[in-house]
Amino acid sequence: MMGGSEQELVDEWHGLLSLHATVHNALEQELQAQHGLSVSEFEALELLTSSEHGKCRGQDLTQAVHLSQSAASRLVARLERGGLVERVMCDLDRRGIFVILTDEGHKRYSDAKPTHRSVLARTLRGEN
């Protein structure tokens, strides 16, 4: 039998999981419906927008969007097919690949950002 503090800890964990699911599902639904973007695609565009010169190493993008390397590679391929990013080889390290935000990617991110922030405000803070 768990003690009170241990049960509170488990309850807090379950509450966090529930909140994450609520926020993620609301983001997924509204970003997809209004902008044709998944949460992971939006997060990738946001990282690139905030990166120096709108580019980052593929490896850094993988870590930032919390996906496996293969899932992140598929994500970048989808964004590239949509004209939102380009992949280029690193001049210094021929094995390294940079992901670069295109003008269309920047526009799509800018259009989707208010939706993203609105969903966060509503689901995390109860704001309308």
Side-chain angles (χ1 to χ4, degrees):
M1 191 98 183
M2 286 198 236
S5 65
E6 189 175 337
Q7 185 60 52
E8 289 170 6
L9 186 63
V10 171
D11 289 347
E12 189 176 336
W13 169 242
H14 289 158
L16 183 60
L17 289 173
S18 178
L19 178 60
H20 177 270
T22 298
V23 173
H24 189 273
N25 291 341
L27 283 170
E28 193 71 43
Q29 184 176 355
E30 291 199 32
L31 287 171
Q32 194 63 250
Q34 296 183 38
H35 307 284
L37 292 171
S38 70
V39 172
S40 295
E41 290 167 342
F42 178 85
E43 294 294 338
L45 295 178
E46 185 158 68
L47 173 69
L48 289 166
T49 298
S50 64
S51 297
E52 189 176 345
H53 307 298
K55 72 177 183 178
C56 73
R57 286 184 167 278
Q59 177 181 343
D60 296 335
L61 186 65
T62 297
Q63 293 171 348
V65 295
H66 307 290
L67 296 173
S68 67
Q69 188 171 352
S70 60
S73 183
R74 290 190 301 273
L75 168 72
V76 171
R78 281 195 312 274
L79 292 171
E80 192 172 35
R81 280 194 305 274
L84 305 180
V85 302
E86 294 175 349
R87 285 188 265 200
V88 297
M89 297 298 286
C90 175
D91 291 336
L92 301 174
D93 176 4
R94 298 304 294 168
R95 295 169 298 168
I97 295 176
F98 278 109
V99 179
I100 300 177
L101 189 66
T102 64
D103 288 344
E104 179 58 29
H106 187 73
K107 179 185 181 318
R108 193 78 142 313
Y109 167 77
S110 295
D111 290 347
K113 182 179 174 182
T115 301
H116 182 269
R117 299 310 194 258
S118 172
V119 170
L120 290 182
R122 187 177 74 242
T123 57
L124 292 175
R125 298 185 177 154
E127 299 172 8
N128 286 332

